[in-house]
């Protein structure tokens, strides 16, 4: 799919604990717009968002996420546990990016 309109990185708080400032409401019609690596990283840390819609606004640089510390490690978006299927928590949302 070729995107013909750019998504803006308008800033607003979603909650006090989840996400850096981010635009959109997480629906398919108004996805959360991811503008930087910190916002992307927050998806993996918040399983309650794994049924939401996301869109990447522009190229993102992940050079600061080198795995050297917990804060610099990207978490998986969704969990698959073959040994214990009851622990599965898949990403069921939409991701345009």
């Amino acid at each position: 799919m070729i995107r013909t309109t750019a998504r803006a990185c308008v800033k607003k708080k979603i909650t006090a604990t989840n996400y850096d400032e981010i635009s959109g409401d997480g629906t398919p019609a108004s996805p959360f717009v991811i503008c930087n690596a910190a916002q992307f990283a927050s998806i993996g840390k918040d399983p309650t968002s794994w049924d939401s819609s996301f869109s990447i606004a522009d190229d993102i640089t992940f050079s600061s996420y080198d795995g050297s510390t917990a804060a610099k490690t990207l978490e998986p978006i969704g969990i698959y546990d073959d040994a214990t299927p009851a622990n599965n928590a898949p990403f069921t949302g939409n991701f345009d990016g």
Side-chain angles (χ1 to χ4, degrees):
M1 178 173 100
I2 298 173
R3 184 179 298 140
T4 57
T5 57
R7 300 215 184 256
C9 289
V10 178
K11 306 294 184 182
K12 70 178 183 178
K13 289 283 187 187
I14 296 300
T15 69
T17 57
N18 296 326
Y19 302 101
D20 191 65
E21 294 180 344
I22 192 169
S23 67
D25 62 14
T27 64
S30 180
F32 291 129
V33 179
I34 305 300
C35 299
N36 58 52
Q39 291 173 337
F40 182 88
S42 69
I43 301 169
K45 295 176 183 176
D46 181 14
T48 64
S49 72
W50 294 349
D51 62 350
S52 299
S53 294
F54 298 89
S55 180
I56 300 291
D58 203 351
D59 292 341
I60 296 177
T61 301
F62 289 95
S63 58
S64 63
Y65 288 85
D66 60 8
S68 62
T69 66
K72 294 182 175 186
T73 301
L74 292 172
E75 298 294 328
I77 300 173
I79 297 170
Y80 177 76
D81 185 345
D82 190 40
T84 313
N87 292 338
N88 289 345
F91 178 80
T92 58
N94 298 298
F95 197 91
D96 178 12

